[in-house]
Amino acid sequence: PTPRPGTPPPPRDIRAAETFRAASPRRVSAMADSEQVQVLVYKPTPFETVLFETLNKDPALRYRYKLLPCPLTLSTAAFSKGFPIVSISNRFDKTALAVVESLASLKVRLLILRGNSPGNLPLARARELGLRVCRSPPPAPGAA
């Protein structure tokens, strides 16, 4: 498929290209109900920060990424209010169930796991609450 005008070219490295596709606004366009959809990114790596800031500069894209330097925990879950999509890169501790319930109560619709397995994330409970969970492979530093 031909990329939209103004879309940055995908990285050459295979793993980074997979991350680019997973983070690309076109991948979750069916979830978009309005002109702009905000995505909250918890604890991005330096490489991911460059990627998301590059995507934010393109006015043609419908998705905007807000980057937070802290990991998603029960105490930071409240920052997700108003964001239909949340992206994380950390594993959960024993508060995973409470975090999932908090995200669902804040109307988060999609949780993207960047570069890790779901670990002890309660996937069945997330599904019951209407929270979709997907995984994106980790980027390869310096690939872009």
Side-chain angles (χ1 to χ4, degrees):
T2 305
R4 282 198 260 175
T7 303
R12 293 176 191 233
D13 181 90
I14 298 296
R15 291 172 61 198
E18 290 171 350
T19 300
F20 177 87
R21 284 193 298 276
S24 174
R26 295 177 301 243
R27 297 291 291 175
V28 288
S29 61
M31 293 184 64
D33 294 338
S34 62
E35 286 298 314
Q36 291 285 326
V37 176
Q38 301 291 322
V39 179
L40 183 60
V41 180
Y42 282 93
K43 199 175 179 184
T45 64
F47 175 78
E48 292 169 332
T49 299
V50 171
L51 176 67
F52 289 124
E53 287 175 350
T54 302
L55 290 171
N56 277 341
K57 291 177 185 175
D58 188 348
L61 299 179
R62 295 175 58 175
Y63 287 67
R64 293 292 170 248
Y65 301 92
K66 179 174 180 179
L67 310 178
L68 287 180
C70 56
L72 175 62
T73 63
L74 188 54
S75 61
T76 62
F79 294 127
S80 302
K81 185 175 184 178
F83 291 90
I85 302 172
V86 171
S87 177
I88 65 167
S89 65
N90 62 302
R91 289 188 176 271
F92 289 100
D93 57 10
K94 60 186 177 187
T95 63
L97 180 60
V99 170
V100 165
E101 290 175 346
S102 177
L103 291 176
S105 71
L106 294 169
K107 308 286 190 243
V108 173
R109 294 163 51 188
L110 176 64
L111 180 62
I112 301 172
L113 306 175
R114 297 187 325 272
N116 56 10
S117 67
N120 61 346
L121 185 70
L123 296 175
R125 181 65 178 145
R127 197 173 311 118
E128 289 172 9
L129 295 170
L131 180 63
R132 298 177 72 188
V133 180
C134 68
R135 183 180 171 274
S136 165

